[in-house]
Amino acid sequence: MSVSNMKRLTVILPAEEVDALMQRLMRLRAVSLEKSEHEGGDGIPLCELDVGDEVAAAAARAARVDAVLPVLTKRSTRKKSLLRSVNPISYEEYRRSPAFVKAEKTVAETERIVAAMSAAREEIAAEQALMDSLVPYLSFDFRLDDEGTETSRFLLGALPAGVKLPRLEELAERVGFVTEVLSEEPSGLYVAVICHRKDADRVRSELGAIGFTPAAFARTDGKAMAIYDAAERRVQQLRQSVTRMDSQLDILSENLSDVEILSDIEHTALLTAQNKQRLRATERCAVLTGWCPARCEQRVTALLSEYVAAYSFEEPAEDEEPPILLKNNGFARNFEWVLGMYSYPAYGKFDPTFIMSIFYFLIFGLMFADAGYGLLLVLAGFGAVRLFEPRESMKRFLLMFGYCGISCILFGVLFGSYFGNFPIAFLQNVCGVPVDRLPNLALFPSLEANVAVLFDPLQNPMGFLLVSLGVGAVHLVAGMIVKGVLLCREGKPLDALFDIGSYLVLFSGIACLFLARVAGIVLTAVGVAAILATQGRSKKGIAGRIIGGFGGLYALINYASDLLSYSRILALGLAAGVIAQVVNILATMKGASFMGFIMLILVFCVGHLLNLVINVLGTFVHTSRLQYIEFFGKFYEDGGVPFKPITPADRYAQDVSEEALQAARRNGTESAPDGAGERVRVTETA
């Protein structure tokens, strides 16, 4: 409901204490760092900390662990889950435990085995290539390195498929050499040629003219068959070795959880080194600058007081843009990520998350008004959070859709949609209940049987359109009221009265035309007159003010266009209902037969699951659009940068050291993001 106040933090401390302070600040999750702009004073130069070697070493250690993680993960028999909760662990205690040593040994052993397996596979490929090259020459009964006698010369090679044996024999008779066909393959002839040593060059030239390619072997230390057999035995040995090493990796994969924790520890060390690059220092001292939420000032002060350090907390200067940390209640907090997809509010400006969350809740349910689908969203959203304890960002994502599922249930009951018209289709097509005996629960009964409390949008689309436009009108007016309140806070009550109040009077008059005609005409006239009289007040001259007044009246077209945008509520609602109705027709068309029940189950599950996925996505997109364009366009001032405190790496583990636990307890329900607007979730588990 508001943007947290920020304080600029500046710390000067001895260089040897930077590491310890940085690690504790990361666990505190309350400070974001900036690259220090201090240039020193009294002739004392400031320069960047020389931590290049430290960053490189930390990056190398983290890369080693990351390289073996996919290998162990692939072989792990641990139950896999997209929403698997992180391991609660104290990083400091873990470093001193035997598990840390075991994890490092696992990484080293995995590296060794992976390298050995890679070398073995390369050797297998080389031996296999040698065997393939030897196959056509296995009948050659001489050593491959035997070039002949003192007077004769052996030539081994291949001729292309287009060269037939008669042509080769003709050439042999003309040039003067003897040839033997070793094998005939689809690729060509493989031959051994014997010629006089003094004629070897001419024979080689004549053969080359018809496409002869000399044979080349990786090894020639024996006969072809002997080399082939040796290579085959070596391939078998290597494959057995790879199998044994693969089994060793299966055993090492049992230590996957320890290696994952080691990964977070090494990445935390890397983050520490990278954060130190933002500091400036003298020979003995370092300067740290950043931002801290005002409500965290006492905690940061308590930590800094344990060091020999000078520090200060200052209000942001007028030309500074502090990072944004949102502060909302438990319900609205789940919609902060939707706001973040658009843009965070500028510092010191209004945070619309709470108001947006209410309208998002209502419009989402109105677009996807189905009690059955809503129940699935509730079970999926709240159930996944309860069962899997996912990360904070995923938790907020799931809870938002869980709450929107409640809205879908409420509007689904009002509009009589339970997986579309499934109750009616089932009673009529499977149970054989006559149409005139079907229930009609509507407050305003129609000729058509339905189970709607209010009305069925498919039977009364105009009524649904009016509801959609009515909700849209309230949404737009709410945005205008927020703008008016903000103008009053800025000391501009007349602007709020003229620019917002006059339009609200006009809209009230238009609404009253349908209820009290005379009052509506009066209010409409007053609103039009107020707009004509005030919207040109900033213009010079009478003509400019008159034109400005009519321009203000012309702006009603923009309001009408915004209002018509809410007809997408009707479009999305009818689309989901029609698809569900088609699915129900297909599911129940076989009646009460055995095959009918089989078809009912299959078509119902597959069809409604697809409808749920498609329309949840469409509803999310269009509900967000109505917030971003129509609602925010009336008042929102964006441009803020999310507050991102320095934190430990926690992809697989969550640091639950005593200091981190205390920080989590003090955070309570306040936002303390470990990402862009996320809250820290720490469970006190040994």
Side-chain angles (χ1 to χ4, degrees):
M1 296 192 296
S2 62
V3 176
S4 297
N5 293 328
M6 287 288 170
K7 293 287 189 72
R8 172 167 286 286
L9 172 64
T10 304
V11 182
I12 302 176
L13 75 161
E16 61 269 15
E17 294 188 346
V18 169
D19 277 340
L21 177 62
M22 194 70 68
Q23 291 173 11
R24 295 186 66 183
L25 284 177
M26 290 172 72
R27 290 198 294 269
L28 204 60
R29 301 172 183 260
V31 175
S32 66
L33 291 185
E34 287 186 348
K35 196 171 184 65
S36 177
E37 300 296 335
H38 286 269
E39 299 297 336
D42 299 327
I44 302 176
L46 289 178
C47 59
E48 294 183 356
L49 280 175
D50 185 13
V51 293
D53 293 341
E54 182 180 344
V55 171
R61 293 195 305 270
R64 284 185 61 221
V65 182
D66 289 346
V68 305
L69 271 175
V71 178
L72 299 178
T73 302
K74 181 179 179 180
R75 290 166 170 78
S76 176
T77 57
R78 185 181 65 187
K79 185 177 180 181
K80 296 177 175 60
S81 172
L82 293 175
L83 301 176
R84 183 175 58 87
S85 58
V86 296
N87 298 304
I89 196 77
S90 170
Y91 287 3
E92 291 182 349
E93 294 180 4
Y94 189 81
R95 276 188 174 275
R96 299 190 295 267
S97 70
F100 181 78
V101 178
K102 182 175 69 173
E104 288 191 319
K105 289 182 178 179
T106 300
V107 171
E109 186 66 12
T110 303
E111 280 184 319
R112 184 192 66 78
I113 293 175
V114 169
M117 291 177 69
S118 178
R121 289 193 175 103
E122 290 179 2
E123 189 175 352
I124 288 173
E127 294 292 334
Q128 193 66 58
L130 173 62
M131 293 167 61
D132 293 341
S133 68
L134 289 170
V135 167
Y137 304 97
L138 292 180
S139 61
F140 185 65
D141 199 25
F142 294 89
R143 291 175 61 90
L144 296 179
D145 55 359
D146 188 353
E147 296 184 353
T149 65
E150 293 183 0
T151 58
S152 64
R153 179 70 184 270
F154 287 125
L155 295 177
L156 293 178
L159 290 166
V163 178
K164 302 302 181 182
L165 183 58
R167 184 179 178 184
L168 178 62
E169 292 174 343
E170 179 185 351
L171 180 64
E173 183 177 355
R174 179 170 57 84
V175 176
F177 61 84
V178 177
T179 182
E180 179 185 356
V181 177
L182 301 176
S183 64
E184 186 173 358
E185 306 289 341
S187 58
L189 290 174
Y190 293 85
V191 299
V193 174
I194 305 174
C195 65
H196 200 280
R197 183 172 289 274
K198 66 181 179 59
D199 296 330
D201 291 340
R202 186 167 66 89
V203 170
R204 191 180 291 110
S205 176
E206 292 289 343
L207 288 172
I210 63 172
F212 180 78
T213 304
F217 306 106
R219 199 161 68 241
T220 59
D221 54 347
K223 294 182 179 181
M225 182 61 74
I227 297 175
Y228 183 92
D229 292 339
E232 189 174 36
R233 289 193 298 271
R234 181 57 179 163
V235 167
Q236 292 176 352
Q237 293 172 356
L238 290 170
R239 285 175 176 168
Q240 291 173 357
S241 177
V242 169
T243 301
R244 287 194 300 271
M245 289 187 288
D246 201 63
S247 299
Q248 292 174 353
L249 288 178
D250 290 338
I251 296 173
L252 289 173
S253 68
E254 297 175 2
N255 302 328
L256 175 60
S257 296
D258 289 318
V259 177
E260 288 177 339
I261 297 173
L262 178 63
S263 172
D264 276 345
I265 290 177
E266 296 296 359
H267 277 281
T268 298
L270 175 59
L271 289 172
T272 301
Q274 290 172 337
N275 287 328
K276 287 166 62 177
Q277 290 181 312
R278 304 182 186 181
L279 277 58
R280 299 182 72 84
T282 64
E283 291 184 2
R284 298 184 178 180
C285 294
V287 180
L288 178 153
T289 60
W291 296 98
C292 170
R295 64 172 180 263
C296 299
E297 181 177 345
Q298 292 183 352
R299 286 191 283 139
V300 177
T301 299
L303 175 60
L304 294 175
S305 64
E306 300 180 21
Y307 294 84
V308 181
Y311 55 89
S312 65
F313 294 89
E314 300 174 350
E315 294 293 337
E318 292 185 2
D319 59 341
E320 289 184 316
E321 297 182 0
I324 305 302
L325 178 61
L326 303 180
K327 186 168 59 176
N328 289 288
N329 60 30
F331 172 75
R333 195 180 308 140
N334 302 302
F335 294 81
E336 287 179 358
W337 69 273
V338 179
L339 178 68
M341 290 178 61
Y342 180 75
S343 180
Y344 272 59
Y347 184 74
K349 302 302 181 179
F350 178 67
D351 172 20
T353 305
F354 176 69
I355 298 177
M356 182 204 74
S357 65
I358 295 176
F359 282 106
Y360 201 101
F361 173 84
L362 294 174
I363 294 175
F364 190 103
L366 197 59
M367 277 191 183
F368 200 24
D370 190 288
Y373 295 139
L375 180 61
L376 292 180
L377 288 178
V378 169
L379 294 176
F382 293 107
V385 171
R386 183 66 178 272
L387 293 176
F388 301 105
E389 297 184 3
R391 288 181 170 276
E392 189 68 17
S393 57
M394 178 59 70
K395 176 182 177 182
R396 297 303 166 195
F397 175 85
L398 293 170
L399 287 178
M400 189 210 75
F401 281 102
Y403 280 116
C404 289
I406 295 176
S407 179
C408 294
I409 292 175
L410 296 177
F411 283 106
V413 172
L414 290 177
F415 297 143
S417 184
Y418 303 86
F419 294 109
N421 67 335
F422 180 73
I424 299 298
F426 183 82
L427 290 174
Q428 184 175 353
N429 298 332
V430 178
C431 299
V433 178
V435 176
D436 56 357
R437 294 179 57 188
L438 293 175
N440 191 329
L441 305 178
L443 295 177
F444 308 100
S446 64
L447 296 178
E448 299 290 339
N450 59 72
V451 292
V453 174
L454 190 58
F455 61 82
D456 185 346
L458 294 179
Q459 297 177 17
N460 188 0
M462 287 304 300
F464 192 37
L465 176 62
L466 292 177
V467 171
S468 302
L469 296 180
V471 171
V474 174
H475 198 206
L476 294 175
V477 169
M480 297 175 66
I481 292 175
V482 171
K483 179 63 176 179
V485 172
L486 295 178
L487 288 172
C488 291
R489 287 183 180 178
E490 295 172 3
K492 302 176 182 178
L494 291 181
D495 288 348
L497 178 63
F498 296 148
D499 296 339
I500 304 299
S502 57
Y503 285 100
L504 293 181
V505 171
L506 174 58
F507 296 156
S508 299
I510 295 175
C512 288
L513 288 175
F514 299 96
L515 302 175
R517 187 176 182 83
V518 176
I521 293 175
V522 172
L523 288 174
T524 301
V526 171
V528 170
I531 292 171
L532 291 173
T534 61
Q535 293 307 296
R537 65 186 184 278
S538 61
K539 306 292 183 181
K540 294 183 179 180
I542 297 178
R545 293 178 180 178
I546 293 175
I547 293 174
F550 279 100
L553 199 60
Y554 183 79
L556 291 175
I557 294 178
N558 294 331
Y559 286 105
S561 175
D562 290 343
L563 183 61
L564 289 177
S565 294
Y566 290 85
S567 62
R568 69 186 65 242
I569 297 177
L570 167 70
L572 268 293
L574 293 183
V578 169
I579 294 175
Q581 196 171 71
V582 172
V583 171
N584 293 332
I585 292 174
L586 295 175
T588 60
M589 64 187 304
K590 291 294 184 179
S593 64
F594 174 77
M595 289 302 300
F597 280 107
I598 298 298
M599 184 174 178
L600 171 65
I601 295 172
L602 292 177
V603 175
F604 181 90
C605 293
V606 175
H608 285 297
L609 180 61
L610 291 175
N611 193 29
L612 173 65
V613 172
I614 293 171
N615 283 284
V616 163
L617 177 61
T619 302
F620 167 74
V621 170
H622 289 284
T623 304
S624 299
R625 183 200 177 280
L626 291 176
Q627 311 300 322
Y628 298 158
I629 307 300
E630 277 69 35
F631 187 54
F632 288 172
K634 301 295 178 289
F635 66 90
Y636 191 43
E637 296 184 50
D638 63 344
V641 177
F643 174 66
K644 295 181 179 180
I646 56 174
T647 63
D650 57 359
R651 181 179 181 184
Y652 303 104
Q654 183 75 58
D655 188 4
V656 290
S657 57
E658 184 60 28
E659 189 168 69
L661 286 173
Q662 291 177 1
R665 295 191 195 103
R666 289 169 179 169
N667 277 338
T669 58
E670 296 177 344
S671 295
D674 54 1
E678 291 186 8
R679 227 162 320 283
V680 177
R681 176 183 61 81
V682 180
T683 55
E684 189 171 1
T685 306

